[in-house]
Amino acid sequence: MKQFSQNGTFNGNVLVSKNNKIIYNASFGFTDAAKTKKLSTDYRFNIGSITKEFSGVALLQLQEKGKLKIEDHISQHIPELPKWANEVTIKDLLQYTSGLPNVNWKKIKSNKDIFDDLKLIDKLDFVPGTQYDYNMNNVFLRQFIVEKITGMPYKKYVSKNIFQPCKMNSSEITPIVDEKLIAKGFNNKLTEDKPDFLVGGTFLPTTDLLKWSDCLYSNKVINENSLFELGQQFDLPDTQSSLGEAKFKNKKLVTHSHDGRAGNYEALLVSDLNEKLTIILLGNNYNGKLFEISDAITVILKK
């Protein structure tokens, strides 16, 4: 890890857990572009796409409570959307097979703008369930369904039904209110990222991401059947499920890998459930080498 830090490949925090014990927990580099303050293990990072697991789990929790079925069409829960909502199912949103075009980022200033934009879509890019397009309209629409069914802001729902049961006490959904111990994203020219103004991103420390994986694998937030449903992906190469890449044997999760990027934040969670091994890497200076670092750690542990 020192080598990766010294050659500029990694600026962030790393945690390794084996046999349900943290065996390595360390920080490398700096909290922001000024490079004056060193990171410590309690700093929080934006985990990018790994946050998509929370909206997926929220929907499966609501299915377990009988509030929805993932085969439901979107129009059953949000009737004010155009005709395409009669064709798209919640399962399509979970597997990125909805045919929805991507968010029009140039004109978006808030989550309300995203919803208003969804109302302006008159035609899908493809017939739902026939192709794959990994884009954020799927994820925002998941969040809107959670809000519609529960009558609760998405941020509050996740805090109450996911973070609290998993004792993820330092985790926070964007926009961030508590600015303490937030690592600021920056590029290699030392330019800092702009703050995230939309609801749904997540900042957390490595220890909270470990709590999340433990919670997920021990069926504390959703049952085994729901976890299997959530881990299914569209049947084409290079596709992702709501859990990233999840492999199952006899409907039991055996490996789980999910990476994320938001601006210059980068994140990776890799778990081998048979080996009882979890590797977590969270960085705030994107270099795109997290899989290589994780592979190197795995090799060391197998010696």
Side-chain angles (χ1 to χ4, degrees), residues 286-299:
Y286 179 79
N287 285 287
K289 302 286 187 195
L290 297 192
F291 279 101
E292 288 169 41
I293 297 170
S294 157
D295 289 346
I297 292 171
T298 306
V299 168

Side-chain angles (χ1 to χ4, degrees), residues 189-206:
K189 292 178 180 168
L190 304 183
T191 308
E192 206 163 274
D193 289 355
K194 292 183 174 76
D196 193 347
F197 52 83
L198 296 171
V199 173
T202 308
F203 280 78
L204 49 66
T206 50

Side-chain angles (χ1 to χ4, degrees), residues 61 79 182 207 252 261 278:
Q61 284 179 335
I182 293 277
T207 45
K252 280 192 187 303
R261 183 179 178 187
T278 295

Side-chain angles (χ1 to χ4, degrees), residues 56-297:
V57 164
L59 289 169
L60 271 291
Q61 284 179 335
L62 294 172
Q63 177 170 266
E64 286 181 16
K65 288 177 180 161
K67 308 269 188 193
L68 61 82
K69 289 192 176 78
I70 65 165
E71 287 78 20
D72 289 350
H73 290 101
I74 307 306
S75 53
Q76 285 172 248
H77 302 288
I78 310 181
E80 60 267 41
L81 288 172
K83 280 183 190 165
W84 55 258
N86 299 322
E87 300 168 50
V88 177
T89 64
I90 294 172
K91 185 180 174 183
D92 289 321
L93 301 181
L94 292 169
Q95 296 187 4
Y96 312 103
T97 56
S98 65
L100 281 164
N102 203 0
V103 176
N104 185 348
W105 294 110
K106 285 183 180 153
K107 59 187 256 196
I108 296 305
K109 299 277 186 291
S110 69
N111 286 62
K112 184 187 177 297
D113 289 348
I114 292 169
F115 191 75
D116 289 345
D117 224 33
L118 283 167
K119 288 203 270 192
L120 296 175
I121 294 169
D122 55 0
K123 183 166 158 289
L124 298 172
D125 287 349
F126 53 81
V127 174
T130 64
Q131 292 181 53
Y132 173 89
D133 180 25
Y134 183 83
N135 78 52
M136 280 302 291
N137 260 333
N138 295 281
V139 181
F140 286 120
L141 200 38
R142 293 183 208 170
Q143 294 174 194
F144 296 141
I145 293 169
V146 172
E147 292 187 328
K148 193 83 172 176
I149 290 175
T150 63
M152 195 186 283
Y154 177 72
K155 185 168 170 161
K156 190 176 177 188
Y157 179 90
V158 172
S159 178
K160 188 180 171 193
N161 296 281
I162 291 175
F163 294 165
Q164 284 175 26
C166 296
K167 299 188 168 53
M168 296 163 69
N169 302 329
S170 301
S171 301
E172 194 176 355
I173 293 271
T174 55
I176 298 298
V177 180
D178 178 9
E179 287 284 348
K180 290 196 294 290
L181 297 171
I182 293 277
K184 299 280 170 67
F186 63 93
N187 65 17
N188 289 330
K189 292 178 180 168
L190 304 183
T191 308
E192 206 163 274
D193 289 355
K194 292 183 174 76
D196 193 347
F197 52 83
L198 296 171
V199 173
T202 308
F203 280 78
L204 49 66
T206 50
T207 45
D208 270 18
L209 195 50
L210 179 65
K211 286 176 185 174
W212 169 243
S213 62
D214 289 346
C215 223
L216 199 57
Y217 308 153
S218 59
N219 308 122
K220 274 192 185 137
V221 279
I222 50 172
N223 64 36
E224 197 171 75
N225 201 43
S226 294
L227 187 65
F228 180 72
E229 276 193 280
L230 203 56
Q232 299 312 298
Q233 61 204 69
F234 186 60
D235 191 16
L236 267 185
D238 303 321
T239 61
Q240 285 201 12
S241 73
S242 295
L243 295 175
E245 198 173 305
K247 291 204 167 72
F248 294 84
K249 195 173 177 184
N250 302 325
K251 289 197 168 185
K252 280 192 187 303
L253 185 66
V254 286
T255 61
H256 175 214
S257 164
H258 208 166
D259 65 312
R261 183 179 178 187
N264 281 288
Y265 293 101
E266 52 183 349
L268 178 63
L269 165 70
V270 177
S271 290
D272 183 326
L273 282 79
N274 292 332
E275 297 282 334
K276 291 190 176 172
L277 168 66
T278 295
I279 298 167
I280 291 166
L281 293 153
L282 302 180
N284 58 325
N285 170 222
Y286 179 79
N287 285 287
K289 302 286 187 195
L290 297 192
F291 279 101
E292 288 169 41
I293 297 170
S294 157
D295 289 346
I297 292 171

